[in-house]
Amino acid sequence: MINPLRGMKDLTFEESQRFNFIVNTATTVAKRYGYNYIETPILEETALFKRSVGESSDIVGKEMYQFEDKGGNDVCMRPEGTAGIVRAFVSAKLDRQPMKQKFYYYGPMFRYERPQKGRLREFHQFGCESFGEASVYEDFTIITMIKQIFDALGIGFELLVNSLGCPTCMPTYRENLVAYLTNIKEELCSDCNRRIETNPIRVLDCKNETCQSLLTASPKLIENLCEECDSDFKKLTALLDKADISYTVDTNLVRGLDYYSKTAFEFVSSEIGSQSAIAGGGRYDRLVEFLDGKPTPAVGFAIGIERIMELVKMPETKREGIYMGAMTQEAVEALFPLAEQKRKESKVTVEYNSKGFKSHMKGADKANARYAVLIGEDELKEGTVWFKDLESKEEKSVLLGEFTFKMHLP
RNA sequence: GUGGACGUAGUUCAGCUGGUAGAGCACCUGUUUGUGGCACAGGUUGUCGCGGGUUCGAGCCCCGUCGUCCACCCCA
């Protein structure tokens, strides 16, 4: 037996239905916010991710599905969505148009990690990217959109926000932080020591308690923002207050990807284990430029579909469609014209095996059908069908040609 | 990449100090040979993850391997 590869998963039945439900719900909301669907390749040049995600992240360093294709190109399965979307945006020269552009996408992402709860090697994200809008109003609007999506899905969450600063205030802060960290180097854990070199901001959200207690006195970016970043962040929190969206300012909140600046946010759930981030995003005003486009402000987010799968409450499934069956083999074929006609408007299941009456009734029940339509010897002789509404329990026999549900059942 | 737990019927699990497997659910068939969801009766299903080893004998012990899960790491 051949099983799926490690960290890859098949989705069937209620799981695939829930998956669809999530995507459909998110799509509906995104469209209402003016987003258009964009589809980009799963395979991209490795250079794209090196330049966008950044070499400091483990994603690029060791988690990418990277290989040489048959034409000798250095390629990667995308580990996240934003880089590809921005690349497409620049490829289409949309950066040269004054129009603002908004895109939503969903699809598989690949990271070669050790699988655990909420972390697969092939996982799916739904995300949105808004280009050309520098106003913090857009950051706020995106947060309200995610809230709407989670509300529609019946998911509870906690919202964390922070500001990562911009090229004006971030580099100085970074230097100060590194200086501070280097001072207490000996007392920090080995992971943090590594991070001082690779990604000092990452030290801030270390889970080690000793590190955290040492960090209480560390310089905080939020207190060292430039005027513009500071005023934007204040505006954002004021808007959230006004909209009655509760949030926590988490000065240790960091985005893992290098391209973020200014607003950063994360939606977390306490109900799904250690991989608690169910959506994350923020502003990335410099990424378009990094990827050879004209400087274009942008803000976006992604939802981890697998991570919210078990949190989603599906609407109750009601009896739906028609089950058709026959008691004698000759009668089975008499069902086909009828089935074809009814399939123009509703779901029809035809049982090809002739079976006893009772066994058909059980079959109809199991198929969760609303109606059972059966033909036995008597019906075949008389040219009629017998049918029953499994919910109201009304039943009737009518001539085949006259058969419609509307006419015969309320 | 690091640390830990676990892999037994379709599924959830039981299996005591080693003697070649069991339960619930699910499924199938019946309970007047034309009335579903309930109840009752009966029935089917396993190379006990895979490969070695120890032993007269292994689902139980040992080693390896693959996989799952949890945490770290990373991140959605």
Side-chain angles (χ1 to χ4, degrees), chain A residues 161-354:
Chain A
V161 296
N162 192 19
S163 176
L164 300 179
C166 65
T168 312
C169 47
M170 182 47 147
T172 21
Y173 169 72
R174 198 182 162 107
E175 274 169 39
N176 291 342
L177 180 65
V178 172
Y180 177 87
L181 294 174
T182 311
N183 247 337
I184 53 168
K185 211 171 177 175
E186 266 87 75
E187 295 159 84
L188 292 168
C189 71
S190 57
D191 282 324
C192 284
N193 270 285
R194 197 196 67 234
R195 283 186 279 234
I196 293 174
E197 308 292 328
T198 58
N199 200 347
I201 310 296
R202 270 274 151 198
V203 174
L204 296 176
D205 69 348
C206 179
K207 282 175 188 163
N208 188 310
E209 281 178 34
T210 343
C211 294
Q212 275 309 325
S213 62
L214 290 167
L215 288 169
T216 47
S218 71
K220 301 277 180 278
L221 176 57
I222 207 93
E223 292 156 10
N224 293 285
L225 292 172
C226 64
E227 211 173 300
E228 188 189 319
C229 287
D230 187 53
S231 114
D232 274 355
F233 189 67
K234 284 190 175 127
K235 235 184 257 172
L236 176 68
T237 52
L239 286 164
L240 290 171
D241 287 334
K242 220 176 188 175
D244 214 19
I245 297 173
S246 56
Y247 62 92
T248 309
V249 176
D250 181 352
T251 52
N252 293 340
L253 173 67
V254 168
R255 301 275 73 221
L257 283 39
D258 284 358
Y259 50 68
Y260 285 105
S261 59
K262 287 191 165 179
T263 306
F265 57 83
E266 203 163 281
F267 287 71
V268 298
S269 166
S270 53
E271 298 168 45
I272 55 168
S274 76
Q275 306 297 312
S276 59
I278 54 177
R283 189 158 273 286
Y284 51 96
D285 288 343
R286 289 184 303 156
L287 183 56
V288 176
E289 215 177 326
F290 278 179
L291 295 176
D292 306 323
K294 261 178 65 181
T296 308
V299 52
F301 74 92
I303 295 176
I305 298 182
E306 280 82 359
R307 290 195 182 169
I308 60 172
M309 279 285 271
E310 55 189 86
L311 302 173
V312 171
K313 291 159 200 91
M314 289 278 283
E316 255 181 72
T317 52
K318 283 191 283 186
R319 286 190 175 281
E320 189 206 345
I322 306 161
Y323 172 98
M324 295 187 180
M327 268 78 87
T328 65
Q329 202 55 51
E330 311 87 77
V332 173
E333 291 179 22
L335 293 168
F336 290 144
L338 187 58
E340 199 191 331
Q341 182 211 324
K342 297 312 294 181
R343 276 179 176 141
K344 288 174 184 165
E345 55 193 57
S346 52
K347 172 182 166 184
V348 176
T349 309
V350 179
E351 172 58 55
Y352 297 152
N353 291 315
S354 63

Side-chain angles (χ1 to χ4, degrees), chain A residues 12-276:
Chain A
T12 52
F13 306 114
E14 52 288 316
E15 276 192 316
S16 55
Q17 270 183 37
R18 229 173 322 132
F19 185 95
N20 260 331
F21 177 66
I22 291 168
V23 172
N24 289 341
T25 305
T27 297
T28 305
V29 175
K31 280 182 181 163
R32 290 205 289 254
Y33 277 79
Y35 286 76
N36 295 302
Y37 184 64
I38 185 170
E39 170 99 19
T40 66
I42 287 167
L43 216 55
E44 296 270 9
E45 247 182 75
T46 301
L48 170 63
F49 302 112
K50 288 201 169 163
R51 272 163 71 183
S52 59
V53 175
E55 306 253 16
S56 67
S57 162
D58 272 7
I59 295 177
V60 167
K62 36 191 173 181
E63 294 175 359
M64 287 206 294
Y65 278 84
Q66 179 182 6
F67 56 95
E68 190 179 298
D69 74 4
K70 291 185 179 179
N73 303 299
D74 185 2
V75 297
C76 268
M77 315 262 276
R78 62 181 182 197
E80 58 103 39
T82 305
I85 310 291
V86 174
R87 201 227 74 237
F89 177 82
V90 175
S91 293
K93 300 202 182 348
L94 296 174
D95 54 328
R96 296 181 178 277
Q97 290 182 15
M99 254 182 79
K100 288 162 187 165
Q101 303 285 351
K102 299 175 185 213
F103 298 109
Y104 76 88
Y105 65 91
Y106 66 91
M109 310 292 161
F110 300 84
R111 289 181 202 173
Y112 197 88
E113 301 177 273
R114 188 122 167 218
Q116 71 179 74
K117 194 179 179 68
R119 189 169 79 180
L120 291 158
R121 287 182 174 180
E122 182 188 20
F123 61 101
H124 297 78
Q125 291 187 335
F126 176 95
C128 287
E129 313 293 353
S130 167
F131 294 100
E133 184 55 82
S135 166
V136 70
Y137 289 166
E138 188 72 342
D139 309 26
F140 164 73
T141 303
I142 274 199
I143 290 174
T144 66
M145 171 164 61
I146 302 169
K147 179 180 152 45
Q148 272 210 18
I149 292 171
F150 285 154
D151 285 352
L153 292 170
I155 295 175
F157 59 82
E158 201 189 321
L159 170 61
L160 309 176
V161 296
N162 192 19
S163 176
L164 300 179
C166 65
T168 312
C169 47
M170 182 47 147
T172 21
Y173 169 72
R174 198 182 162 107
E175 274 169 39
N176 291 342
L177 180 65
V178 172
Y180 177 87
L181 294 174
T182 311
N183 247 337
I184 53 168
K185 211 171 177 175
E186 266 87 75
E187 295 159 84
L188 292 168
C189 71
S190 57
D191 282 324
C192 284
N193 270 285
R194 197 196 67 234
R195 283 186 279 234
I196 293 174
E197 308 292 328
T198 58
N199 200 347
I201 310 296
R202 270 274 151 198
V203 174
L204 296 176
D205 69 348
C206 179
K207 282 175 188 163
N208 188 310
E209 281 178 34
T210 343
C211 294
Q212 275 309 325
S213 62
L214 290 167
L215 288 169
T216 47
S218 71
K220 301 277 180 278
L221 176 57
I222 207 93
E223 292 156 10
N224 293 285
L225 292 172
C226 64
E227 211 173 300
E228 188 189 319
C229 287
D230 187 53
S231 114
D232 274 355
F233 189 67
K234 284 190 175 127
K235 235 184 257 172
L236 176 68
T237 52
L239 286 164
L240 290 171
D241 287 334
K242 220 176 188 175
D244 214 19
I245 297 173
S246 56
Y247 62 92
T248 309
V249 176
D250 181 352
T251 52
N252 293 340
L253 173 67
V254 168
R255 301 275 73 221
L257 283 39
D258 284 358
Y259 50 68
Y260 285 105
S261 59
K262 287 191 165 179
T263 306
F265 57 83
E266 203 163 281
F267 287 71
V268 298
S269 166
S270 53
E271 298 168 45
I272 55 168
S274 76
Q275 306 297 312
S276 59

